[in-house]
mmCIF file of all heavy atoms in Angstrom:
data_model
loop_
_atom_site.group_PDB
_atom_site.id
_atom_site.type_symbol
_atom_site.label_atom_id
_atom_site.label_comp_id
_atom_site.label_asym_id
_atom_site.label_seq_id
_atom_site.Cartn_x
_atom_site.Cartn_y
_atom_site.Cartn_z
ATOM 1 N N LYS A 21 -4.244 -3.457 0.973
ATOM 2 C CA LYS A 21 -4.013 -2.575 2.134
ATOM 3 C C LYS A 21 -4.146 -1.116 1.685
ATOM 4 O O LYS A 21 -4.837 -0.319 2.318
ATOM 5 C CB LYS A 21 -2.613 -2.801 2.684
ATOM 6 C CG LYS A 21 -2.114 -1.722 3.643
ATOM 7 C CD LYS A 21 -0.750 -2.005 4.204
ATOM 8 C CE LYS A 21 0.366 -1.484 3.356
ATOM 9 N NZ LYS A 21 0.625 -0.055 3.431
ATOM 10 N N ASN A 22 -3.503 -0.781 0.564
ATOM 11 C CA ASN A 22 -3.447 0.625 0.145
ATOM 12 C C ASN A 22 -4.729 1.112 -0.512
ATOM 13 O O ASN A 22 -4.856 2.283 -0.826
ATOM 14 C CB ASN A 22 -2.230 0.854 -0.763
ATOM 15 C CG ASN A 22 -0.937 0.660 -0.001
ATOM 16 O OD1 ASN A 22 -0.950 0.577 1.231
ATOM 17 N ND2 ASN A 22 0.162 0.545 -0.707
ATOM 18 N N LEU A 25 -7.296 1.250 3.341
ATOM 19 C CA LEU A 25 -6.990 2.270 4.352
ATOM 20 C C LEU A 25 -7.608 3.634 4.010
ATOM 21 O O LEU A 25 -8.305 4.226 4.845
ATOM 22 C CB LEU A 25 -5.483 2.378 4.579
ATOM 23 C CG LEU A 25 -4.834 1.170 5.246
ATOM 24 C CD1 LEU A 25 -3.320 1.359 5.374
ATOM 25 C CD2 LEU A 25 -5.448 0.897 6.617
ATOM 26 N N ARG A 95 1.871 5.829 9.831
ATOM 27 C CA ARG A 95 2.019 7.217 9.389
ATOM 28 C C ARG A 95 1.019 7.574 8.313
ATOM 29 O O ARG A 95 0.682 8.725 8.140
ATOM 30 C CB ARG A 95 3.428 7.484 8.917
ATOM 31 C CG ARG A 95 3.848 6.581 7.779
ATOM 32 C CD ARG A 95 5.050 7.069 7.106
ATOM 33 N NE ARG A 95 4.968 8.482 6.815
ATOM 34 C CZ ARG A 95 4.242 9.011 5.826
ATOM 35 N NH1 ARG A 95 3.486 8.237 5.091
ATOM 36 N NH2 ARG A 95 4.247 10.310 5.603
ATOM 37 N N SER A 96 0.500 6.569 7.591
ATOM 38 C CA SER A 96 -0.437 6.933 6.507
ATOM 39 C C SER A 96 -1.751 7.442 7.093
ATOM 40 O O SER A 96 -2.620 7.889 6.358
ATOM 41 C CB SER A 96 -0.694 5.727 5.603
ATOM 42 O OG SER A 96 -1.106 4.629 6.381
ATOM 43 N N PHE A 99 -3.794 10.861 6.166
ATOM 44 C CA PHE A 99 -4.889 11.196 5.246
ATOM 45 C C PHE A 99 -6.244 11.183 5.948
ATOM 46 O O PHE A 99 -7.277 11.359 5.325
ATOM 47 C CB PHE A 99 -4.887 10.347 3.970
ATOM 48 C CG PHE A 99 -4.851 8.861 4.114
ATOM 49 C CD1 PHE A 99 -5.649 8.188 5.035
ATOM 50 C CD2 PHE A 99 -4.005 8.109 3.309
ATOM 51 C CE1 PHE A 99 -5.619 6.822 5.153
ATOM 52 C CE2 PHE A 99 -3.972 6.728 3.417
ATOM 53 C CZ PHE A 99 -4.781 6.086 4.337
ATOM 54 N N ILE A 121 11.693 3.795 5.371
ATOM 55 C CA ILE A 121 12.032 4.008 3.951
ATOM 56 C C ILE A 121 12.253 5.478 3.622
ATOM 57 O O ILE A 121 12.446 5.838 2.470
ATOM 58 C CB ILE A 121 10.978 3.381 3.010
ATOM 59 C CG1 ILE A 121 9.590 3.974 3.233
ATOM 60 C CG2 ILE A 121 10.940 1.886 3.181
ATOM 61 C CD1 ILE A 121 8.541 3.398 2.273
ATOM 62 N N ARG A 124 9.477 10.801 4.875
ATOM 63 C CA ARG A 124 8.029 10.818 4.609
ATOM 64 C C ARG A 124 7.410 12.199 4.908
ATOM 65 O O ARG A 124 6.557 12.329 5.785
ATOM 66 C CB ARG A 124 7.307 9.719 5.386
ATOM 67 C CG ARG A 124 7.882 8.332 5.232
ATOM 68 C CD ARG A 124 7.838 7.756 3.840
ATOM 69 N NE ARG A 124 6.522 7.430 3.359
ATOM 70 C CZ ARG A 124 5.897 6.275 3.575
ATOM 71 N NH1 ARG A 124 6.473 5.374 4.332
ATOM 72 N NH2 ARG A 124 4.695 6.046 3.085
ATOM 73 N N PRO A 125 7.862 13.256 4.265
ATOM 74 C CA PRO A 125 7.295 14.591 4.519
ATOM 75 C C PRO A 125 5.799 14.650 4.173
ATOM 76 O O PRO A 125 5.294 13.799 3.432
ATOM 77 C CB PRO A 125 8.103 15.489 3.592
ATOM 78 C CG PRO A 125 8.638 14.609 2.543
ATOM 79 C CD PRO A 125 8.852 13.270 3.182
ATOM 80 N N ILE A 126 5.117 15.640 4.741
ATOM 81 C CA ILE A 126 3.666 15.773 4.487
ATOM 82 C C ILE A 126 3.335 17.175 3.984
ATOM 83 O O ILE A 126 2.177 17.609 4.031
ATOM 84 C CB ILE A 126 2.859 15.476 5.770
ATOM 85 C CG1 ILE A 126 3.315 16.388 6.923
ATOM 86 C CG2 ILE A 126 2.994 14.012 6.163
ATOM 87 C CD1 ILE A 126 2.396 16.373 8.110
ATOM 88 N N ASP A 127 4.325 17.877 3.447
ATOM 89 C CA ASP A 127 4.105 19.265 2.982
ATOM 90 C C ASP A 127 3.014 19.340 1.920
ATOM 91 O O ASP A 127 2.177 20.251 1.922
ATOM 92 C CB ASP A 127 5.417 19.869 2.461
ATOM 93 C CG ASP A 127 6.068 18.983 1.395
ATOM 94 O OD1 ASP A 127 6.205 17.757 1.633
ATOM 95 O OD2 ASP A 127 6.398 19.495 0.315
ATOM 96 N N LEU A 128 2.958 18.360 1.027
ATOM 97 C CA LEU A 128 1.946 18.413 -0.051
ATOM 98 C C LEU A 128 0.533 18.233 0.525
ATOM 99 O O LEU A 128 -0.425 18.862 0.063
ATOM 100 C CB LEU A 128 2.235 17.333 -1.098
ATOM 101 C CG LEU A 128 3.606 17.420 -1.774
ATOM 102 C CD1 LEU A 128 3.797 16.281 -2.770
ATOM 103 C CD2 LEU A 128 3.793 18.763 -2.468
ATOM 104 N N HIS A 129 0.429 17.399 1.593
ATOM 105 C CA HIS A 129 -0.875 17.244 2.261
ATOM 106 C C HIS A 129 -1.312 18.598 2.830
ATOM 107 O O HIS A 129 -2.440 19.055 2.595
ATOM 108 C CB HIS A 129 -0.756 16.246 3.426
ATOM 109 C CG HIS A 129 -0.467 14.840 3.031
ATOM 110 N ND1 HIS A 129 -1.380 13.809 3.130
ATOM 111 C CD2 HIS A 129 0.673 14.256 2.555
ATOM 112 C CE1 HIS A 129 -0.836 12.684 2.715
ATOM 113 N NE2 HIS A 129 0.408 12.921 2.374
ATOM 114 N N PHE A 163 4.278 16.979 -6.611
ATOM 115 C CA PHE A 163 4.612 15.594 -6.936
ATOM 116 C C PHE A 163 3.310 14.799 -6.855
ATOM 117 O O PHE A 163 2.473 15.088 -5.991
ATOM 118 C CB PHE A 163 5.640 15.051 -5.920
ATOM 119 C CG PHE A 163 5.982 13.595 -6.130
ATOM 120 C CD1 PHE A 163 6.982 13.221 -7.029
ATOM 121 C CD2 PHE A 163 5.264 12.608 -5.471
ATOM 122 C CE1 PHE A 163 7.267 11.878 -7.251
ATOM 123 C CE2 PHE A 163 5.548 11.269 -5.679
ATOM 124 C CZ PHE A 163 6.550 10.897 -6.586
ATOM 125 N N PRO A 164 3.059 13.842 -7.734
ATOM 126 C CA PRO A 164 1.804 13.082 -7.682
ATOM 127 C C PRO A 164 1.768 12.157 -6.462
ATOM 128 O O PRO A 164 1.782 10.924 -6.593
ATOM 129 C CB PRO A 164 1.800 12.304 -9.001
ATOM 130 C CG PRO A 164 3.233 12.166 -9.376
ATOM 131 C CD PRO A 164 3.930 13.386 -8.870
ATOM 132 N N SER A 165 1.716 12.756 -5.280
ATOM 133 C CA SER A 165 1.707 11.994 -4.031
ATOM 134 C C SER A 165 0.381 11.255 -3.872
ATOM 135 O O SER A 165 -0.692 11.858 -3.960
ATOM 136 C CB SER A 165 1.895 12.961 -2.850
ATOM 137 O OG SER A 165 1.308 12.445 -1.677
ATOM 138 N N VAL A 166 0.438 9.944 -3.613
ATOM 139 C CA VAL A 166 -0.775 9.141 -3.424
ATOM 140 C C VAL A 166 -1.558 9.658 -2.222
ATOM 141 O O VAL A 166 -2.744 9.989 -2.323
ATOM 142 C CB VAL A 166 -0.407 7.653 -3.233
ATOM 143 C CG1 VAL A 166 -1.616 6.829 -2.837
ATOM 144 C CG2 VAL A 166 0.243 7.101 -4.499
ATOM 145 N N GLY A 167 -0.903 9.786 -1.083
ATOM 146 C CA GLY A 167 -1.587 10.193 0.153
ATOM 147 C C GLY A 167 -2.133 11.594 0.067
ATOM 148 O O GLY A 167 -3.255 11.865 0.499
ATOM 149 N N ALA A 168 -1.351 12.510 -0.522
ATOM 150 C CA ALA A 168 -1.816 13.906 -0.613
ATOM 151 C C ALA A 168 -3.023 13.998 -1.548
ATOM 152 O O ALA A 168 -3.993 14.715 -1.264
ATOM 153 C CB ALA A 168 -0.682 14.802 -1.111
ATOM 154 N N GLU A 170 -5.253 11.662 -2.050
ATOM 155 C CA GLU A 170 -6.393 11.090 -1.313
ATOM 156 C C GLU A 170 -6.886 12.054 -0.239
ATOM 157 O O GLU A 170 -8.089 12.251 -0.070
ATOM 158 C CB GLU A 170 -5.975 9.749 -0.688
ATOM 159 C CG GLU A 170 -5.719 8.668 -1.734
ATOM 160 C CD GLU A 170 -4.950 7.476 -1.197
ATOM 161 O OE1 GLU A 170 -4.316 7.568 -0.112
ATOM 162 O OE2 GLU A 170 -4.970 6.423 -1.873
ATOM 163 N N GLU A 191 -2.609 6.098 -9.240
ATOM 164 C CA GLU A 191 -2.662 4.703 -8.788
ATOM 165 C C GLU A 191 -4.083 4.155 -8.812
ATOM 166 O O GLU A 191 -5.047 4.892 -8.565
ATOM 167 C CB GLU A 191 -2.082 4.600 -7.374
ATOM 168 C CG GLU A 191 -0.566 4.429 -7.313
ATOM 169 C CD GLU A 191 0.240 5.668 -7.689
ATOM 170 O OE1 GLU A 191 -0.364 6.726 -7.974
ATOM 171 O OE2 GLU A 191 1.467 5.587 -7.716
ATOM 172 N N ARG A 235 -2.630 -5.394 -5.716
ATOM 173 C CA ARG A 235 -1.751 -5.562 -6.887
ATOM 174 C C ARG A 235 -0.307 -5.848 -6.471
ATOM 175 O O ARG A 235 0.434 -6.512 -7.191
ATOM 176 C CB ARG A 235 -1.819 -4.338 -7.796
ATOM 177 C CG ARG A 235 -1.387 -3.047 -7.153
ATOM 178 C CD ARG A 235 -1.748 -1.838 -8.013
ATOM 179 N NE ARG A 235 -1.572 -0.613 -7.262
ATOM 180 C CZ ARG A 235 -0.464 0.144 -7.285
ATOM 181 N NH1 ARG A 235 0.538 -0.177 -8.098
ATOM 182 N NH2 ARG A 235 -0.358 1.241 -6.552
ATOM 183 N N THR A 306 7.231 1.375 -6.785
ATOM 184 C CA THR A 306 8.284 1.306 -5.760
ATOM 185 C C THR A 306 8.035 0.146 -4.796
ATOM 186 O O THR A 306 8.969 -0.449 -4.278
ATOM 187 C CB THR A 306 8.375 2.634 -4.989
ATOM 188 O OG1 THR A 306 9.303 2.486 -3.903
ATOM 189 C CG2 THR A 306 7.030 3.059 -4.401
ATOM 190 N N ASP A 307 6.755 -0.225 -4.592
ATOM 191 C CA ASP A 307 6.441 -1.300 -3.635
ATOM 192 C C ASP A 307 6.841 -2.675 -4.154
ATOM 193 O O ASP A 307 6.746 -3.655 -3.427
ATOM 194 C CB ASP A 307 4.948 -1.295 -3.298
ATOM 195 C CG ASP A 307 4.564 -0.066 -2.503
ATOM 196 O OD1 ASP A 307 5.467 0.631 -2.016
ATOM 197 O OD2 ASP A 307 3.358 0.213 -2.396
ATOM 198 N N ILE A 329 11.381 7.028 -5.976
ATOM 199 C CA ILE A 329 10.236 7.511 -5.197
ATOM 200 C C ILE A 329 10.615 7.804 -3.748
ATOM 201 O O ILE A 329 10.347 8.886 -3.229
ATOM 202 C CB ILE A 329 9.064 6.496 -5.231
ATOM 203 C CG1 ILE A 329 8.671 6.197 -6.671
ATOM 204 C CG2 ILE A 329 7.889 6.997 -4.391
ATOM 205 C CD1 ILE A 329 8.055 7.361 -7.416
ATOM 206 N N PHE A 330 11.244 6.850 -3.073
ATOM 207 C CA PHE A 330 11.610 7.048 -1.663
ATOM 208 C C PHE A 330 13.108 7.248 -1.512
ATOM 209 O O PHE A 330 13.898 6.700 -2.286
ATOM 210 C CB PHE A 330 11.137 5.859 -0.809
ATOM 211 C CG PHE A 330 9.663 5.868 -0.583
ATOM 212 C CD1 PHE A 330 8.844 4.966 -1.227
ATOM 213 C CD2 PHE A 330 9.073 6.829 0.248
ATOM 214 C CE1 PHE A 330 7.472 4.995 -1.043
ATOM 215 C CE2 PHE A 330 7.700 6.862 0.436
ATOM 216 C CZ PHE A 330 6.906 5.938 -0.213
ATOM 217 N N GLU A 331 13.444 8.012 -0.453
ATOM 218 C CA GLU A 331 14.837 8.424 -0.256
ATOM 219 C C GLU A 331 15.717 7.278 0.240
ATOM 220 O O GLU A 331 16.910 7.294 0.052
ATOM 221 C CB GLU A 331 14.887 9.547 0.803
ATOM 222 C CG GLU A 331 14.097 10.802 0.470
ATOM 223 C CD GLU A 331 12.585 10.653 0.711
ATOM 224 O OE1 GLU A 331 12.148 9.595 1.207
ATOM 225 O OE2 GLU A 331 11.863 11.596 0.363
ATOM 226 N N ARG A 333 15.152 3.410 0.401
ATOM 227 C CA ARG A 333 14.431 2.147 0.294
ATOM 228 C C ARG A 333 15.363 1.028 -0.177
ATOM 229 O O ARG A 333 14.997 0.186 -0.972
ATOM 230 C CB ARG A 333 13.214 2.293 -0.628
ATOM 231 C CG ARG A 333 12.230 1.173 -0.401
ATOM 232 C CD ARG A 333 10.899 1.358 -1.079
ATOM 233 N NE ARG A 333 9.912 0.537 -0.398
ATOM 234 C CZ ARG A 333 8.616 0.550 -0.650
ATOM 235 N NH1 ARG A 333 8.138 1.360 -1.588
ATOM 236 N NH2 ARG A 333 7.782 -0.217 0.026
ATOM 237 N N ASP A 371 10.653 -3.170 6.927
ATOM 238 C CA ASP A 371 9.346 -2.670 6.477
ATOM 239 C C ASP A 371 8.666 -3.801 5.722
ATOM 240 O O ASP A 371 9.286 -4.828 5.446
ATOM 241 C CB ASP A 371 9.470 -1.390 5.646
ATOM 242 C CG ASP A 371 9.780 -1.650 4.181
ATOM 243 O OD1 ASP A 371 8.894 -2.128 3.429
ATOM 244 O OD2 ASP A 371 10.928 -1.400 3.789
ATOM 245 N N LEU A 372 7.395 -3.628 5.396
ATOM 246 C CA LEU A 372 6.662 -4.804 4.904
ATOM 247 C C LEU A 372 7.162 -5.297 3.562
ATOM 248 O O LEU A 372 7.219 -6.513 3.315
ATOM 249 C CB LEU A 372 5.172 -4.535 4.857
ATOM 250 C CG LEU A 372 4.600 -3.613 3.792
ATOM 251 C CD1 LEU A 372 3.186 -4.012 3.508
ATOM 252 C CD2 LEU A 372 4.641 -2.196 4.247
ATOM 253 N N ARG A 373 7.602 -4.389 2.674
ATOM 254 C CA ARG A 373 8.019 -4.872 1.350
ATOM 255 C C ARG A 373 9.413 -5.487 1.413
ATOM 256 O O ARG A 373 9.640 -6.515 0.759
ATOM 257 C CB ARG A 373 7.999 -3.738 0.326
ATOM 258 C CG ARG A 373 6.664 -3.054 0.198
ATOM 259 C CD ARG A 373 5.498 -3.979 -0.111
ATOM 260 N NE ARG A 373 4.227 -3.258 -0.004
ATOM 261 C CZ ARG A 373 3.031 -3.819 -0.021
ATOM 262 N NH1 ARG A 373 2.932 -5.111 -0.110
ATOM 263 N NH2 ARG A 373 1.947 -3.113 0.091
HETATM 264 C C1 EPZ B 1 1.542 5.400 -0.596
HETATM 265 O O1 EPZ B 1 2.360 6.036 0.362
HETATM 266 C C2 EPZ B 1 1.532 3.926 -0.200
HETATM 267 N N1 EPZ B 1 0.930 3.793 1.130
HETATM 268 C C3 EPZ B 1 2.964 3.393 -0.209
HETATM 269 O O2 EPZ B 1 2.906 2.007 0.108
HETATM 270 C C4 EPZ B 1 3.532 3.556 -1.616
HETATM 271 O O3 EPZ B 1 4.879 3.134 -1.626
HETATM 272 C C5 EPZ B 1 3.460 5.040 -2.028
HETATM 273 O O4 EPZ B 1 2.096 5.499 -1.920
HETATM 274 C C6 EPZ B 1 3.925 5.260 -3.460
HETATM 275 O O5 EPZ B 1 3.169 4.489 -4.329
HETATM 276 C C7 EPZ B 1 -0.424 3.815 1.234
HETATM 277 O O6 EPZ B 1 -1.140 3.956 0.262
HETATM 278 C C8 EPZ B 1 -0.976 3.632 2.618
HETATM 279 P P1 EPZ B 1 3.514 9.285 -1.625
HETATM 280 P P2 EPZ B 1 2.413 7.663 0.414
HETATM 281 O O7 EPZ B 1 2.864 10.395 -0.883
HETATM 282 O O8 EPZ B 1 1.074 8.206 0.131
HETATM 283 C C9 EPZ B 1 7.104 12.333 -1.185
HETATM 284 C C10 EPZ B 1 3.571 0.034 1.136
HETATM 285 O O9 EPZ B 1 4.626 -0.605 1.171
HETATM 286 N N2 EPZ B 1 6.129 13.227 -0.513
HETATM 287 O O10 EPZ B 1 3.091 9.002 -3.028
HETATM 288 O O11 EPZ B 1 3.073 8.066 1.678
HETATM 289 C C11 EPZ B 1 7.502 11.173 -0.269
HETATM 290 O O12 EPZ B 1 8.558 11.564 0.585
HETATM 291 C C12 EPZ B 1 3.604 1.539 1.268
HETATM 292 O O13 EPZ B 1 2.428 -0.467 0.986
HETATM 293 C C13 EPZ B 1 6.487 14.545 -0.232
HETATM 294 O O14 EPZ B 1 7.593 14.980 -0.523
HETATM 295 O O15 EPZ B 1 3.392 7.938 -0.806
HETATM 296 C C14 EPZ B 1 7.938 10.120 -1.231
HETATM 297 O O16 EPZ B 1 9.295 10.344 -1.579
HETATM 298 C C15 EPZ B 1 5.019 2.065 1.401
HETATM 299 N N3 EPZ B 1 5.602 15.354 0.405
HETATM 300 C C16 EPZ B 1 7.063 10.368 -2.466
HETATM 301 O O17 EPZ B 1 6.502 11.680 -2.302
HETATM 302 C C17 EPZ B 1 4.342 14.912 0.760
HETATM 303 O O18 EPZ B 1 3.553 15.702 1.329
HETATM 304 C C18 EPZ B 1 5.920 9.369 -2.612
HETATM 305 O O19 EPZ B 1 5.107 9.526 -1.528
HETATM 306 C C19 EPZ B 1 3.990 13.566 0.469
HETATM 307 C C20 EPZ B 1 4.895 12.748 -0.173
#
Side-chain angles (χ1 to χ4, degrees):
K21 165 178 88 77
N22 294 348
L25 292 178
R95 58 165 313 284
S96 53
F99 53 44
I121 60 178
R124 308 297 291 274
I126 56 168
D127 54 311
L128 301 179
H129 294 251
F163 177 86
S165 153
V166 172
E170 292 164 343
E191 274 72 2
R235 61 192 168 95
T306 174
D307 292 347
I329 304 293
F330 286 107
E331 301 78 4
R333 198 170 202 173
D371 84 72
L372 73 152
R373 303 305 171 190

